[in-house]
Amino acid sequence: AAPGGPRLRPKGLGGSSTMVNLKCMEVLQDRIVRGLNLCCAEDLACLDDYYVTRLCDEEAARAIVVRVAELEIGLRSATRGHLSRMVRLAQAISRELPESFRWSLPRQARDYYENLRVLGLKETAPWVLDPVSAARARLQSIRAEAH
């Protein structure tokens, strides 16, 4: 269930494997939820947003997103490398889960995901789309330091 990896087919493709797939997904979900307090930030950051928002039941998804928010993955300096994954998770939560799910989260978790949403907007805003502007600004600062 890692980002960018093959997509899971938990409902199977029909036939006898379907029940095995569903049982496997249920066992996986239970193990993740039971071990949430033992998981480090890096492990939680590796959970695919599709898995959390589409394949987990609501109770498990809530437990996972609350734990991610408690650890503030992506916002703390130690986990800054996972920021883009957490922004994608926040976008998936907004897109895939009902509004009632988001409002049922603790206040701290709602604030965390709102911060991620705002950071995601900053990345995709129209004025960010000019890839040359950052390079131009860096070149100008280097030239200014040289003189």
Side-chain angles (χ1 to χ4, degrees):
R7 285 289 180 205
L8 301 173
R9 299 198 189 284
K11 297 181 181 172
L13 300 172
S16 60
S17 67
T18 300
M19 283 308 293
V20 173
N21 289 347
L22 290 173
K23 184 64 178 168
C24 179
M25 293 305 293
E26 182 180 323
V27 169
L28 175 63
Q29 175 182 286
D30 290 344
R31 287 192 72 184
I32 290 171
V33 170
R34 273 187 314 210
L36 273 178
N37 290 330
L38 303 174
C39 289
C40 65
E42 287 74 24
D43 293 339
L44 290 173
C46 289
L47 288 175
D48 187 59
D49 58 271
Y50 180 86
Y51 173 76
V52 174
T53 59
R54 302 279 306 271
L55 303 180
C56 286
D57 65 32
E58 192 169 312
E59 183 179 321
R62 182 174 291 106
I64 291 168
V65 300
V66 166
R67 183 64 180 146
V68 166
E70 288 171 354
L71 296 175
E72 294 182 330
I73 300 173
L75 298 182
R76 293 189 177 178
S77 60
T79 59
R80 183 81 58 203
H82 302 296
L83 179 60
S84 62
R85 287 182 183 167
M86 295 302 99
V87 167
R88 281 195 308 271
L89 176 61
Q91 291 168 342
I93 289 169
S94 293
R95 184 179 60 248
E96 302 295 338
L97 298 173
E99 189 74 23
S100 60
F101 175 87
R102 291 187 295 281
W103 282 105
S104 71
L105 296 173
R107 177 67 178 200
Q108 183 229 0
R110 289 195 315 265
D111 291 345
Y112 168 76
Y113 288 106
E114 178 61 19
N115 285 340
L116 290 175
R117 186 187 73 77
V118 170
L119 288 171
L121 289 175
K122 287 181 181 178
E123 293 292 319
T124 59
W127 53 85
V128 177
L129 295 179
D130 180 14
V132 179
S133 64
R136 185 181 308 119
R138 190 168 188 308
L139 184 59
Q140 287 172 344
S141 69
I142 291 171
R143 286 181 181 160
E145 289 173 6
H147 292 337

